């Protein structure tokens, strides 16, 4: 070894020892009579000292060191006169007797400091330098620890870690596949897996009743902060179980991770149906760190006793915005009645953004003196506004924000406003964690573009047994044996009880628009396997990158990935994707349009 100790482990108990350290020069300070060098490795920083009593050639060598030079030093541990309580090594320094430059370095394009001057693009281009910074390195240390704890917990539950293929068959469902040409089979292609879904089901057929894998997956889709073209998931499957078994076991996994990694004891994880999540929060992944649940003033799909006509004015003028809407729904922003007209205009502009698409926003102040004042006073009497106040259970100082429109569309718009208000009021604290199970999802969702139903989760999800008969008569109302785990408004995991017999799986393919021939061509191997004694089974997959970013308090998963892609799916460090030579294209029997 080129070193006897790391740069983060020495303390006052080591005073008097002769040691050898290696690392990178963090900074140097030449004070005339003395020269100080901070040397850094992944474990910490130790101060080196050179003074007038040293060999002049040694001091001269020290003065020539630049930032990020790789060095080896030998010397004696001495007590530091000017101690630094912020460093574990802050009570000692090394009086250097020998210095060797292992490798010189160019001046880095940005500061290798916790607070750097490098922008995102520059740091991604020089990612190997960015990884030297403490915040980025600490994120990867956290990721490592979480992976180890996942394995520890699942191994303790008798799961087997099994690797599944990376070169598989392309399927038409879901996001776009990345495809890989086969040289030995000209004109044919492999696909990179979006998920090991069918393989883990086949492992259940094989008798491996508890499988897991921390696995790379690939999706060729548009990117955003929580997406990458290649990502990692904790993939799990169990046989001879019911939904309750999976919810309990993997709630245990999340509790174990919080306790082992963050020393947080999570209480019982609440459950909510998909229907209630959409009704109360306008989202299938609600952030329950704060309240502000939706209140319906009008809902054409509910009976009058459930949705009293609080939307209907008793004045002479009708209000078409409410009259023509299917749903009138709002939230109570507690303590916000003091919002100025400018602030309310900002909220209106927020919901009108193209990404949200609302046409406007209505508000009512419950003033501190008890009076009620709305933006639509000419359409509603004080008695009408009193009904609103009662529906929202408002108190003096509260602000009621109301939107009107069509069904789930307006609820999703109000969800965005609710989250914005949560941000403005400081209710979305990154150090507060509120997990939630969302259950009873619809099995199918209608796609206007293709004019047919698609699986909300995937084609192998089992319908609720009592809803199977609805597949032929009312497929949109069929519920799935599916569940998601949500953390702070982010979906971190999802799964389902799977179909395990050929007849039901074939029926599912039929309702998804597959002909029998297409189903056999795409998934015949799975249908055939179901005829050889497939056990009841189900599973779940957690987005490992998302989970790590939430534990680290980050908005983007890029910061917990060693070498991420940018928002265009490019690795700007190695300049990938890139073209390949004509010789390679010829060998693969691929013709280009160029």
């Amino acid at each position: 070894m080129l070193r006897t100790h790391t740069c983060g482990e020495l303390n006052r108990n080591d005073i008097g020892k002769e040691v050898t350290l290696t690392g990178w020069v963090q900074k140097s300070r030449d004070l005339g009579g003395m020269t100080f060098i901070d040397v850094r490795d992944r474990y910490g920083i130790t101060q080196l000292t050179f003074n007038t009593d040293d060999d002049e050639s040694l001091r001269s060598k020290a003065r020539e060191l630049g930032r990020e030079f790789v060095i080896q030093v030998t010397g004696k541990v001495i007590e530091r006169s000017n101690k630094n309580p912020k460093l574990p090594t802050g009570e000692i320094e090394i009086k250097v007797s020998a210095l060797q430059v292992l490798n010189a370095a160019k001046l880095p394009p940005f500061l290798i400091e916790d607070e750097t001057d490098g922008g995102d693009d520059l740091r991604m281009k020089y990612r190997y330098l960015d990884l030297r910074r403490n915040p980025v390195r600490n994120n990867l240390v956290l990721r490592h620890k979480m992976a180890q704890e996942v394995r520890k917990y699942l191994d303790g539950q008798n799961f087997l870690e099994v690797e599944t293929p990376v070169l598989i068959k392309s399927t038409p469902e879901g996001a776009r596949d990345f495809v890989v040409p086969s040289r030995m089979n000209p004109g044919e292609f492999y696909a990179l897996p979006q998920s090991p879904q069918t393989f883990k089901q086949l492992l259940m057929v094989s008798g491996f009743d508890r499988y897991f894998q921390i696995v790379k997956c690939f999706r060729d889709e548009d990117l955003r902060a929580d997406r990458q073209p290649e990502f990692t998931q904790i993939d799990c499957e169990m046989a001879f179980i019911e939904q309750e078994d999976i919810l309990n076991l993997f709630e245990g996994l999340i509790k174990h991770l919080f306790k082992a990694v963050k020393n947080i004891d999570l209480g019982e994880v609440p459950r909510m149906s998909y229907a209630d999540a959409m009704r109360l929060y306008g989202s299938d992944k609600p952030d329950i760190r704060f309240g502000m649940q939706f209140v319906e003033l009008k809902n054409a799909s509910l009976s009058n006793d459930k949705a009293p006509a609080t939307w209907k004015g008793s004045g002479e003028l009708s209000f078409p915005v409410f009259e023509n809407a299917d749903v009138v729904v709002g939230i109570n922003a507690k303590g916000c009645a003091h919002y100025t007209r400018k602030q309310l205009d900002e909220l209106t502009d927020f919901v009108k953004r193209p990404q949200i698409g609302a046409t406007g926003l209505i508000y009512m102040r419950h003033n501190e003196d008890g009076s009620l004042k709305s933006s639509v006073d000419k359409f509603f009497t004080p008695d009408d506004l009193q009904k609103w106040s009662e529906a929202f259970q408002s108190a003096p100082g509260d602000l009621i924000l109301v939107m009107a429109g069509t069904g789930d569309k307006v609820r999703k718009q109000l969800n965005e406003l609710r989250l914005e208000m949560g941000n403005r009021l400081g209710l979305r604290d990154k150090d507060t964690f509120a997990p939630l199970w969302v259950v009873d999802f619809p099995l199918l969702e209608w796609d206007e573009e293709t004019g047919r139903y698609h699986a909300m989760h995937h084609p192998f999800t089992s319908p609720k047994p009592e809803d199977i008969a609805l597949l032929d008569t009312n497929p949109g109302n069929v519920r799935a044996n599916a569940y998601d785990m949500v953390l702070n408004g982010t979906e971190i995991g999802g799964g389902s009880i799977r179909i395990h017999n050929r007849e039901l799986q074939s029926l599912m393919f039929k309702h998804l628009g597959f002909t029998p021939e297409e189903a056999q061509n795409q998934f015949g191997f799975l249908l055939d396997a179901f005829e050889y004694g497939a056990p009841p089974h189900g599973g779940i997959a957690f987005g490992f990158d998302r989970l790590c970013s939430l534990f680290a308090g980050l908005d983007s998963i890029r910061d917990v990935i060693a070498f991420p892609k940018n928002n265009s799916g490019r690795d700007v460090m190695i300049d990938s994707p890139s073209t390949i030579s004509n010789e390679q294209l010829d060998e693969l029997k691929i013709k280009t349009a160029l």
Side-chain angles (χ1 to χ4, degrees):
M1 295 290 290
L2 294 180
R3 63 188 177 192
T4 61
H5 298 79
T6 69
C7 295
E9 66 178 295
L10 297 172
N11 56 50
R12 63 181 305 107
N13 296 325
D14 299 298
I15 290 174
K17 288 183 181 178
E18 191 79 10
V19 299
T20 299
L21 303 182
T22 56
W24 289 263
V25 173
Q26 177 74 17
K27 63 176 65 171
S28 60
R29 300 177 299 283
D30 188 354
L31 305 182
M34 302 189 75
T35 300
F36 296 99
I37 304 288
D38 287 345
V39 61
R40 180 198 73 241
D41 61 13
R42 92 173 223 215
Y43 305 96
I45 292 176
T46 298
Q47 180 170 283
L48 313 176
T49 180
F50 305 79
N51 60 41
T52 51
D53 298 332
D54 293 328
D55 185 307
E56 183 56 37
S57 64
L58 182 63
R59 289 195 64 210
S60 177
K61 201 172 183 179
R63 289 193 184 104
E64 293 173 358
L65 296 176
R67 280 181 176 266
E68 303 306 312
F69 273 44
V70 186
I71 61 173
Q72 178 193 52
V73 295
T74 298
K76 183 179 287 188
V77 182
I78 62 174
E79 185 172 2
R80 183 168 168 173
S81 58
N82 183 21
K83 295 178 177 57
N84 184 348
K86 296 180 180 179
L87 292 178
T89 61
E91 291 187 295
I92 59 94
E93 60 190 7
I94 310 300
K95 188 176 187 305
V96 178
S97 58
L99 165 65
Q100 182 180 355
V101 175
L102 301 177
N103 210 337
K106 292 167 60 177
L107 185 68
F110 54 86
L111 288 174
I112 312 298
E113 302 274 5
D114 290 2
E115 298 295 330
T116 184
D117 57 351
D120 287 349
D121 292 341
L122 186 63
R123 288 186 292 110
M124 287 190 73
K125 182 176 181 179
Y126 296 95
R127 182 64 170 177
Y128 49 87
L129 297 179
D130 199 31
L131 288 169
R132 294 180 186 175
R133 297 193 308 115
N134 285 328
V136 185
R137 183 177 60 250
N138 291 342
N139 291 339
L140 295 186
V141 172
L142 171 73
R143 184 186 179 104
H144 162 79
K145 185 172 183 180
M146 291 184 68
Q148 299 311 306
E149 293 299 335
V150 166
R151 289 189 167 95
K152 183 189 298 184
Y153 177 84
L154 293 177
D155 181 64
Q157 299 290 335
N158 291 326
F159 280 76
L160 293 174
E161 186 168 10
V162 181
E163 296 176 37
T164 53
V166 174
L167 296 174
I168 65 168
K169 183 176 185 175
S170 182
T171 59
E173 288 291 314
R176 295 183 181 90
D177 288 327
F178 283 102
V179 294
V180 180
S182 170
R183 181 184 59 82
M184 292 182 289
N185 301 278
E188 296 185 314
F189 296 82
Y190 299 104
L192 301 180
Q194 298 183 33
S195 161
Q197 182 61 45
T198 54
F199 290 102
K200 65 179 181 179
Q201 290 190 247
L202 291 171
L203 284 170
M204 298 303 102
V205 178
S206 303
F208 291 81
D209 67 333
R210 293 194 171 196
Y211 141 94
F212 88 98
Q213 187 180 186
I214 300 179
V215 59
K216 272 292 181 73
C217 301
F218 307 85
R219 290 180 187 167
D220 188 6
E221 59 185 358
D222 295 335
L223 306 181
R224 56 182 188 228
D226 60 346
R227 286 182 180 170
Q228 285 276 295
E230 55 179 306
F231 58 96
T232 304
Q233 64 185 36
I234 307 166
D235 200 60
C236 308
E237 198 80 3
M238 302 169 69
F240 303 111
I241 46 80
E242 295 178 318
Q243 176 172 302
E244 190 68 21
D245 302 305
I246 291 181
L247 298 187
N248 288 333
L249 193 145
F250 289 99
E251 183 173 316
L253 170 62
I254 294 301
K255 288 180 178 178
H256 172 79
L257 287 175
F258 270 101
K259 183 62 178 175
V261 177
K262 296 188 75 69
N263 197 28
I264 292 175
D265 290 304
L266 285 184
E268 183 177 348
V269 178
R271 300 179 186 181
M272 183 182 298
S273 71
Y274 170 87
D276 281 346
M278 294 303 297
R279 179 175 61 85
L280 296 173
Y281 297 97
S283 170
D284 59 3
K285 45 182 182 293
D287 186 345
I288 60 169
R289 282 175 293 182
F290 63 105
M292 225 179 283
Q293 290 184 350
F294 293 4
V295 174
E296 308 253 4
L297 295 182
K298 174 189 179 184
N299 186 340
S301 67
L302 297 178
S303 61
N304 287 333
D305 61 327
K306 290 184 180 179
T310 47
W311 57 274
K312 205 164 188 177
S314 55
E316 296 182 1
L317 295 175
S318 65
F319 187 45
V321 173
F322 284 3
E323 296 276 359
N324 299 330
D326 291 330
V327 173
V328 180
V329 62
I331 55 175
N332 183 353
K334 304 294 277 182
C336 293
H338 66 276
Y339 268 33
T340 64
R341 181 58 185 267
K342 179 181 179 182
Q343 288 174 300
L344 291 167
D345 286 345
E346 286 175 357
L347 292 178
T348 303
D349 291 341
F350 173 81
V351 299
K352 285 183 174 181
R353 292 163 55 199
Q355 304 95 310
I356 298 176
T359 54
L361 178 66
I362 292 156
Y363 64 86
M364 182 189 81
R365 288 191 180 95
H366 193 148
N367 296 314
E368 294 290 353
D369 62 4
S371 63
L372 303 174
K373 179 71 175 174
S374 82
S375 56
V376 286
D377 274 354
K378 70 177 180 179
F379 298 101
F380 295 93
T381 67
D383 287 342
D384 296 328
L385 298 184
Q386 185 60 41
K387 290 181 182 178
W388 290 21
S389 175
E390 291 169 3
F392 285 94
Q393 298 182 352
S394 69
D398 292 349
L399 176 68
I400 307 303
L401 300 171
V402 178
M403 299 176 71
T406 306
D408 283 349
K409 182 178 179 181
V410 73
R411 290 191 182 92
K412 290 176 181 177
Q413 292 166 348
L414 186 59
N415 169 60
E416 296 296 333
L417 178 61
R418 174 182 177 269
L419 295 178
E420 175 66 14
M421 291 305 299
N423 288 331
R424 290 183 178 222
L425 297 174
L427 301 175
R428 305 184 73 192
D429 179 13
K430 291 181 179 180
D431 293 323
T432 300
F433 298 95
L436 169 73
W437 285 112
V438 179
V439 299
D440 294 347
F441 279 81
L443 181 70
L444 305 169
E445 58 183 344
W446 182 257
D447 188 310
E448 293 290 348
E449 284 189 27
T450 59
R452 66 181 181 90
Y453 281 105
H454 288 263
M456 181 168 272
H457 277 71
H458 53 61
F460 315 107
T461 296
S462 173
K464 294 274 187 183
E466 61 270 29
D467 289 356
I468 291 176
L470 294 175
L471 278 170
D472 288 318
T473 59
N474 195 355
N477 280 2
V478 178
R479 293 168 301 156
N481 265 325
Y483 33 83
D484 281 358
M485 179 171 273
V486 176
L487 181 64
N488 293 359
T490 298
E491 177 201 335
I492 59 169
S496 65
I497 301 300
R498 322 301 187 191
I499 297 169
H500 67 277
N501 68 74
R502 182 174 187 129
E503 292 74 20
L504 183 55
Q505 187 64 74
S506 297
L507 180 63
M508 183 67 172
F509 285 144
K510 173 188 172 185
H511 283 283
L512 291 173
F514 288 79
T515 65
E517 294 75 23
E518 288 171 337
Q520 184 63 33
N521 180 52
Q522 290 291 335
F523 301 108
F525 64 92
L526 185 65
L527 294 170
D528 293 345
F530 285 168
E531 297 186 300
Y532 290 93
H537 61 281
I540 192 168
F542 289 92
F544 188 52
D545 308 302
R546 288 186 188 180
L547 199 54
C548 290
S549 66
L550 284 167
F551 270 56
L554 300 168
D555 295 323
S556 171
I557 66 172
R558 291 196 315 202
D559 293 324
V560 295
I561 297 173
F563 298 101
K565 309 291 190 292
N566 67 12
N567 286 342
S568 300
R570 296 196 64 82
D571 186 325
V572 294
M573 183 182 68
I574 64 172
D575 193 23
S576 172
S578 60
T579 58
I580 61 175
S581 68
N582 289 330
E583 289 77 12
Q584 287 174 290
L585 291 171
D586 290 341
E587 193 172 32
L588 293 167
K589 305 295 190 292
I590 294 177
K591 295 180 181 179
T592 68
L594 300 178

